[in-house]
Amino acid sequence: MVIGAGQAGLSAAYHLARQGFAPGSGSVVLDGDAAPGGAWQHRWPSLTLATTHRVHELPGLPFAPASEELPAAEAVPAYFAEYERRFGLAVQRPVRVSAVRRGGDGRFLVESDRGVWRARGVVNATGTWTRPFVPHYPGRETFRGRQLHTVGYRGAAEFAGRSVVVVGGGASAVQLLGEIAPVARTTWVTRRPPVWRQGPFGEQQGREAVARVEAAVRAGRMPGSVVGVTGLVVTPWVRRALDDGVLTRLPVFDRLTPDGVAWDDGRFVPADVVLWATGFRAAVGHLAPLRLRTRDGVIPVEGTTAVDEPRLQLVGYGPSASTIGANRAGRSAAVALRRQLGAGLARTA
Ligand code: FAD
């Protein structure tokens, strides 16, 4: 059983088939969205393939979009739809899983809004998009302007002429500032000074970054953002924006007021909009009945295998939360489940 049909879930389904768990009879994919595309179908229209970091293709099918200028929210879902057709993955949707429990017979009970499935093994691939994270700051409820998280961003036009505070030190914050600054007054606040990555980010640095995230998740600690590990890329736009002062950052305010944001040292910035580009948490609430989470709210994993429940694989989680990481994780999860369950033993539906 695979829960979630984004990059990680589709990769897992592909590799499960190659490990002897045929789609439909040996494995089932459930997905909460109404259409193919995972979280990509919900991303803002101005996010084009050219402005993503790079969407890696899924195993076995080249990703050959007509243009890099296509919105990622169109091109990636079209590719995923073709992928599901090509490999006969028969994703069942929309099916939203509400709980995964241990059944009495050694199988998992997977409860959803479309009924209950029984599964000998589960690959969880539910991503993060459905769990936007907004930190608490005093006065948030008193702010009279608009607050939105990255998930609600549709484009800069609606902020024209307004005063916008962008909160967050990740790639999304930088990208949204790039779009909004030309039409609005922007203020950028981050908890820590941004680390700009000068020079190439090679394989060695990539391996080191993944190793650090892996070590955190294995130990049951919150891994932090990917950018916290890799640094922010200085693209030509970022270079110009740094020179123009658009990316001059302030430390995060101490509180929100009805009309803006304020610091204890007396500084105040009036704001019409606070845009929280403050990231996501893993959408794993439905796994709570398995009681695998540490105090930090993290499920410790070794590779993709839940340390305390080896028949549960987590992909697109922690170190594999990128399109390339999700691809690799899908394969590891399929191989690990075959080891756990043996070929042909997985009658999942
Ligand atoms: P998702 O794509 O989120 O798929 C999860 C699926 O699970 C969804 O279809 C959802 O409906 C389903 N689901 C969730 N909960 C349930 C449930 N309870 N029951 C049933 N189904 C459920 N990575 C890159 O490598 N390159 C990039 O350029 C890049 N750009 C990014 C830009 C943004 C703005 C963001 C936020 C992330 C970006 N990433 C990028 C990260 C990348 O998108 C993800 O790591 C990867 O695509 C996530 O794939 P996934 O399969 O884990 O999750």
Side-chain angles (χ1 to χ4, degrees):
M1 158 81 60
V2 180
I3 307 173
Q7 185 100 10
L10 293 183
S11 169
Y14 171 93
H15 286 295
L16 278 170
R18 266 133 207 87
Q19 293 296 325
F21 304 114
S25 55
S27 70
V28 167
V29 186
L30 308 179
D31 187 46
D33 271 290
W40 290 104
Q41 65 195 288
H42 304 297
R43 301 228 160 109
W44 52 92
S46 52
L47 183 73
T48 64
L49 293 174
T51 53
T52 63
H53 296 308
R54 180 173 166 203
V55 178
H56 287 266
E57 61 196 26
L58 284 159
L61 184 67
F63 179 35
S67 159
E68 284 290 298
E69 299 311 317
L70 284 171
E74 286 174 21
V76 181
Y79 169 63
F80 282 13
E82 171 61 17
Y83 194 84
E84 290 177 13
R85 262 196 307 276
R86 184 72 68 97
F87 295 105
L89 297 182
V91 177
Q92 303 205 21
R93 59 165 62 91
V95 180
R96 191 145 290 275
V97 172
S98 49
V100 177
R101 305 177 192 284
R102 292 184 187 86
D105 58 354
R107 297 181 186 216
F108 293 112
L109 293 179
V110 179
E111 299 173 3
S112 81
D113 55 0
R114 295 287 181 94
V116 179
W117 274 260
R118 283 148 47 84
R120 293 175 56 86
V122 166
V123 180
N124 192 79
T126 45
T128 59
W129 188 255
T130 52
R131 233 186 121 204
F133 172 70
V134 175
H136 180 76
Y137 283 94
R140 241 189 84 193
E141 58 296 340
T142 68
F143 180 63
R144 282 196 294 249
R146 178 174 174 209
Q147 296 184 60
L148 76 162
H149 185 274
T150 324
V151 293
Y153 177 79
R154 305 315 294 161
E158 58 185 313
F159 305 119
R162 318 297 289 287
S163 176
V164 183
V165 174
V166 178
V167 188
S172 294
V174 171
Q175 200 164 61
L176 300 191
L177 277 160
E179 295 190 11
I180 298 169
V183 301
R185 286 180 305 284
T186 54
T187 305
W188 185 29
V189 301
T190 69
R191 269 192 309 155
R192 283 182 289 275
V195 177
W196 300 104
R197 176 154 55 75
Q198 311 287 349
F201 187 73
E203 270 198 26
Q204 176 62 18
Q205 289 95 328
R207 268 198 295 275
E208 283 167 15
V210 169
R212 279 166 63 183
V213 179
E214 268 173 0
V217 175
R218 200 181 306 123
R221 293 195 311 272
M222 201 62 93
S225 74
V226 173
V227 160
V229 178
T230 62
L232 287 160
V233 185
V234 181
T235 60
W237 173 82
V238 169
R239 181 76 271 151
R240 273 198 308 280
L242 282 167
D243 293 344
D244 294 348
V246 170
L247 294 177
T248 305
R249 150 278 175 194
L250 296 173
V252 181
F253 43 79
D254 294 298
R255 63 192 172 283
L256 288 93
T257 74
D259 305 313
V261 296
W263 286 258
D264 286 346
D265 62 11
R267 275 178 295 180
F268 174 75
V269 170
D272 304 306
V273 179
V274 175
L275 172 51
W276 300 97
T278 39
F280 298 84
R281 295 288 182 261
V284 291
H286 54 286
L287 302 179
L290 299 175
R291 298 187 172 278
L292 298 170
R293 282 192 274 197
T294 63
R295 275 164 170 253
D296 267 8
V298 173
I299 300 176
V301 289
E302 184 77 55
T304 56
T305 304
V307 171
D308 294 327
E309 180 52 273
R311 293 172 307 138
L312 173 68
Q313 302 290 315
L314 290 112
V315 295
Y317 185 77
S320 63
S322 69
T323 54
I324 191 163
N327 276 356
R328 293 183 185 140
R331 183 172 184 284
S332 307
V335 170
L337 269 191
R338 179 178 162 129
R339 274 201 206 110
Q340 285 293 323
L341 306 177
L345 287 176
R347 295 272 175 268
T348 50

